């Protein structure tokens, strides 16, 4: 029964009580009595649905517990929202919020179990090949015969994939293991692999992506990415791009969703010095990726990502980064359109 049905039942009961106690039998008379009673508050206080409204003093520390910050609900940017959080009588959303609980636990609670002891670079590629690819490199005998005619020799495309932040962090961190969340056609992974070779680094880059793109992506400028029987050639084209740049010894595809892959990495002890978060750009996806990925950072490691100042931040990337930084007492560094968070643990 919804609240309207419940309200009608209560009104009906009121009519019945009035009818039996007053002896009034005519419908018009009942309507008149009910109207007068409502005006004096006899019915209204008992029949209106109790509604939870956020109208109280909320501190910045408590705000993430009270609000789903997927949108700012009328605020132009995060700064305006932050200013509001310190003021009394907070009305983030003037519409009623029908919530069963003010605590959005999915936004603040994650499994903080320590990951398994670090496998070390020497074992990571071997373990991944055994567990994911039957101990055979996915690049062996590539491409398979049934996709040869569906691939371009090279089709590399990305967004912000060759900006200065990559060279800066490769020089600073000198990563042995890089985990990339969101690979698409491999532009940034191939760029980092080239930098590693240039800098004389022995780096393995693990590219985590389900390689499905996003709904409708082939209806745009990527309509040249073929598909067969519903199987889009995104992973195969990515692998072809890696082959064309002779980076098969550095880059390894991990064809799974970000959270499932990161969770297994943690279980297997696959940790990283550098993690790039650039998968889905909605708030909840970015928030989950950042929280789970941060557990995999080695001491002194760095996590970074794109779309901190692009139009995609309207979908929630910047909001997720800023909230994570606040809750974990971290400082967000900016490098162009990229954000950077550093693991403060040193041992």
């Amino acid at each position: 029964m919804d609240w309207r049905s419940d309200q009608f039942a209560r009104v009906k009961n009121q009519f019945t009580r009035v009818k039996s106690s007053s002896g009034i039998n005519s419908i018009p008379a009942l309507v008149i009595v009910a109207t007068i009673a409502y005006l004096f508050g006899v019915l209204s206080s008992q029949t209106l649905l109790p509604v939870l409204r956020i109208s109280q003093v909320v501190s910045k520390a408590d705000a993430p517990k009270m609000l789903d910050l997927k949108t700012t609900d009328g605020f132009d940017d995060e700064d305006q929202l932050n200013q509001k959080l310190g003021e009394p009588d907070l009305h983030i959303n003037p519409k009623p919020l029908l919530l069963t609980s003010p605590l959005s636990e999915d936004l603040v609670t994650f499994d903080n179990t320590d990951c398994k002891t670090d496998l070390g670079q020497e074992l990571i590629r071997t373990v991944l090949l055994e567990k994911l690819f039957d101990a055979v490199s996915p690049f062996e005998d590539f491409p398979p015969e049934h996709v040869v005619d569906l691939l371009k020799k090279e089709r590399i495309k990305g967004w912000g994939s060759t900006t200065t932040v990559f060279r800066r962090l490769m020089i600073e961190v000198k990563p042995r293991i890089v985990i990339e969340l969101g690979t698409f056609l491999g532009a940034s992974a191939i760029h980092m692999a080239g930098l590693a070779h240039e800098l004389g680094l022995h780096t393995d880059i693990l590219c985590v992506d389900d390689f499905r793109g996003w709904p409708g992506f082939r209806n745009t400028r990527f309509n040249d990415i073929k598909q067969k029987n519903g199987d889009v050639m995104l992973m195969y084209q990515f692998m072809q791009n890696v082959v064309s740049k002779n980076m098969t010894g550095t880059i390894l595809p991990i064809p799974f969703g970000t959270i499932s892959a990161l969770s297994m990495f943690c279980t297997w002890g696959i940790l990283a010095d550098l993690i790039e978060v650039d998968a889905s750009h909605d708030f909840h996806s970015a928030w989950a990726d950042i929280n789970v990925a941060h557990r995999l950072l080695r001491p002194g490691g760095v996590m970074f990502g794109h779309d901190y100042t692009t139009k995609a931040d309207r979908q929630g990337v910047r909001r997720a980064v800023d909230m994570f930084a606040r809750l974990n007492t971290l400082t967000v560094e900016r490098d162009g359109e990229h954000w950077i968070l550093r693991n403060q643990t040193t041992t």
Side-chain angles (χ1 to χ4, degrees):
M1 178 185 294
D2 62 22
W3 72 272
R4 292 181 180 83
S5 299
D6 184 56
Q7 185 174 1
F8 176 80
R10 295 184 184 185
V11 171
K12 183 178 179 182
N13 290 337
Q14 291 284 355
F15 281 178
T16 302
R17 287 199 294 270
V18 171
K19 179 179 177 181
S20 60
S21 62
S22 64
I24 299 175
N25 293 315
S26 67
I27 295 300
L30 284 175
V31 172
I32 293 172
V33 170
T35 302
I36 295 173
Y38 187 89
L39 292 175
F40 281 93
V42 174
L43 297 178
S44 61
S45 63
Q46 298 179 17
T47 59
L48 289 180
L49 176 69
V51 174
L52 172 64
R53 291 178 182 270
I54 298 177
S55 180
Q56 60 190 54
V57 177
V58 180
S59 67
K60 289 186 179 181
D62 291 333
K65 300 177 183 179
M66 296 293 294
L67 305 174
D68 178 340
L69 293 180
K70 183 176 181 180
T71 66
T72 53
D73 291 318
F75 294 99
D76 292 334
D77 57 34
E78 184 78 354
D79 293 334
Q80 290 185 23
L81 179 61
N82 287 339
Q83 292 171 8
K84 262 299 191 187
L85 292 179
E87 298 177 6
D89 195 23
L90 177 65
H91 293 277
I92 296 299
N93 186 349
K95 296 173 291 185
L97 300 178
L98 304 182
L99 304 176
T100 57
S101 169
L103 177 62
S104 298
E105 291 187 356
D106 62 311
L107 299 185
V108 296
T109 304
F110 281 86
D111 181 6
N112 290 319
T113 304
D114 290 337
C115 295
K116 187 178 178 180
T117 303
D118 192 347
L119 276 179
Q121 183 178 13
E122 297 75 15
L123 292 177
I124 286 179
R125 179 175 279 262
T126 300
V127 167
L128 286 173
L129 290 178
E130 289 178 351
K131 291 184 176 295
L132 303 182
F133 302 108
D134 299 328
V136 178
S137 169
F139 292 104
E140 187 169 319
D141 298 326
F142 181 85
E145 185 176 348
H146 72 285
V147 304
V148 170
D149 295 334
L150 301 177
L151 303 179
K152 293 181 175 293
K153 181 178 180 180
E154 187 175 290
R155 174 68 161 97
I156 301 175
K157 176 69 179 80
W159 296 266
S161 303
T162 59
T163 56
T164 58
V165 69
F166 292 96
R167 176 176 290 276
R168 170 189 168 188
L169 293 179
M170 292 295 286
I171 292 174
E172 289 181 13
V173 180
K174 296 179 175 56
R176 294 162 291 168
I177 298 293
V178 175
I179 295 175
E180 178 181 63
L181 306 182
T183 294
F184 198 51
L185 291 167
S188 58
I190 289 170
H191 180 59
M192 285 189 284
L195 290 172
H197 291 183
E198 177 188 330
L199 297 169
L201 303 175
H202 179 44
T203 303
D204 285 308
I205 302 175
L206 312 178
C207 295
V208 180
D209 199 307
D210 62 10
F211 293 102
R212 297 294 305 169
W214 57 90
F217 88 97
R218 294 180 61 254
N219 297 329
T220 61
R221 53 182 160 168
F222 299 107
N223 57 7
D224 58 328
I225 304 295
K226 307 299 183 183
Q227 71 171 355
K228 186 173 183 179
N229 301 117
D231 183 15
V232 67
M233 297 292 108
L234 196 55
M235 178 174 170
Y236 288 130
Q237 187 60 63
F238 157 74
M239 293 176 68
Q240 177 60 39
N241 293 340
V242 173
V243 169
S244 73
K245 296 298 185 181
N246 195 28
M247 297 294 184
T248 59
T250 299
I251 296 174
L252 185 67
I254 309 295
F256 298 92
T258 56
I259 299 303
S260 60
L262 291 173
S263 297
M264 291 313 301
F265 283 0
C266 184
T267 300
W268 295 337
I270 297 176
L271 309 184
D273 307 290
L274 186 63
I275 299 178
E276 180 188 8
V277 180
D278 194 17
S280 296
H281 296 101
D282 64 282
F283 170 80
H284 287 91
S285 296
W287 173 252
D289 287 347
I290 291 168
N291 274 271
V292 180
H294 191 260
R295 291 191 298 161
L296 303 181
L297 276 179
R298 288 171 171 157
V302 173
M303 181 165 61
F304 74 111
H306 191 223
D307 298 301
Y308 191 75
T309 57
T310 66
K311 64 180 180 180
D313 85 83
R314 291 287 183 183
Q315 301 176 40
V317 174
R318 180 158 59 100
R319 194 165 298 114
V321 173
D322 288 348
M323 182 188 292
F324 182 83
R326 287 199 301 270
L327 291 177
N328 292 277
T329 321
L330 300 174
T331 300
V332 180
E333 299 177 36
R334 293 174 58 173
D335 189 316
E337 297 174 345
H338 284 78
W339 55 269
I340 301 170
L341 293 174
R342 299 180 183 274
N343 186 0
Q344 303 298 331
T345 305
T346 56
T347 58

